[in-house]
Amino acid sequence: MRILISNDDGYLAPGINALAEALATVADIVVVAPDSNRSGASNSLSLDRPLSVTKAANGFYFVNGTPTDCVHIALTGMLDTRPDLVVSGINNGQNMGDDTLYSGTVAAATEAFLFGIPAIAFSQVHSGWSEIESAARVARDIVLRRLDALESPFLLNVNIPNLPYEQMGPLTPTRLGRRHQSEPVIRAQDPRGREIFWIGAPGACRDAGEGTDFHATAQGQVSLTPLQVDLTHREQLQLLRDSLQ
Ligand code: MN
């Protein structure tokens, strides 16, 4: 099995190192990841400048671009062979509910999915890298599971509790929850007295009921949500058709 690994925290992040180490024991891996932290980059592509790929001492490739740039470059010309699977992460913190729209971790996996390759995004529920080795073991377990029952290509969003491996709950299929709107922007002054704004924290859970990613991880379970890209709202489409008749 050939696996392409990327992330949004950058090629030096502990999460991608732990993931690569765990997967190297069971697959041929190649790592192509951003040169710096691009969390929140979503599905952005860099179209206004060239991108360079550099090989680090440990064999990882790093790119002066977004997570989506990395996977796009790898799949459209950089790699000689097409990977069987693309994995992203392990992210420094959760990507649940609405987070999936902003996440560069999910975006890297989504880019592979758009090219017809099965893809999995991995995130730890809490940032700070506690129990990252345990999360990497869980990620390897999931990669080794027979996911053939799923329609290929699939796009899976996985959130892993920061627990020791022995205390980890079961793999649990979930749907995305929803958050309240984000916390307000933080207004401040830069050292020259100019007004600046920092984007605020994500909102608290609004829909964290049974069956959601929020609910499963709160029970110590590993949340697996199958995602799709089509954002069409079917009921609204019908209402729109009716109203325009
Ligand atoms: Mn990140």
Side-chain angles (χ1 to χ4, degrees), residues 208-232:
E210 207 163 321
T212 64
D213 43 8
F214 292 115
H215 189 268
T217 53
Q219 320 298 314
Q221 299 164 358
V222 180
S223 165
L224 291 83
T225 310
L227 301 181
Q228 61 185 355
V229 172
D230 182 358
L231 297 177
T232 309

Side-chain angles (χ1 to χ4, degrees), residues 180-186 198-204:
H180 287 287
Q181 65 182 46
S182 296
E183 298 296 316
V185 75
I186 302 154
W198 283 93
I199 299 290

